[in-house]
Amino acid sequence: MNATLDRVNALVLKAVPELKPGFAPSDSFADVLDIDSLSVVEIMTNVEKEFGCDFEDEDIIHVQNVQDILDILQREQ
């Protein structure tokens, strides 16, 4: 799971280059990291491409942090 976390974190940093590494998986995209909803969609699109999966729109709508993405990926496996 640590490798998955590293890959997801890299995708977050790619979509939001001004973000500093070292954020926690539970840090809220909106409240703590100041990531807007458009960037979250970009992150999720990149995650889908990276992991070869296709998320439901409802899953994407409810993503609030990296841990949510990890949970979705775990369900998809």
Side-chain angles (χ1 to χ4, degrees), residues 1 6 20 29 42 54 60 66 69 72 75:
M1 184 64 124
D6 291 343
K20 300 273 189 263
F29 285 148
E42 180 182 350
D54 189 25
I60 295 171
V66 169
I69 297 171
I72 293 168
R75 280 197 318 261

Side-chain angles (χ1 to χ4, degrees), residues 1-7 67 70-71 73-74 77:
M1 184 64 124
N2 201 22
T4 302
L5 174 61
D6 291 343
R7 288 168 66 188
Q67 186 61 54
L70 296 174
D71 293 344
L73 286 170
Q74 188 172 29
Q77 293 179 347

Side-chain angles (χ1 to χ4, degrees), residues 44 48 54-63 72 76:
M44 294 305 292
E48 286 177 323
D54 189 25
F55 301 133
E56 299 292 325
D57 289 343
E58 187 147 324
D59 286 333
I60 295 171
I61 290 169
H62 291 97
V63 168
I72 293 168
E76 293 289 317

Side-chain angles (χ1 to χ4, degrees), residues 32-67:
V32 176
L33 303 177
D34 199 31
I35 297 174
D36 63 27
S37 59
L38 186 59
S39 294
V40 173
V41 171
E42 180 182 350
I43 291 165
M44 294 305 292
T45 300
N46 291 337
V47 169
E48 286 177 323
K49 290 176 186 174
E50 174 79 15
F51 290 91
C53 53
D54 189 25
F55 301 133
E56 299 292 325
D57 289 343
E58 187 147 324
D59 286 333
I60 295 171
I61 290 169
H62 291 97
V63 168
Q64 296 182 23
N65 56 40
V66 169
Q67 186 61 54

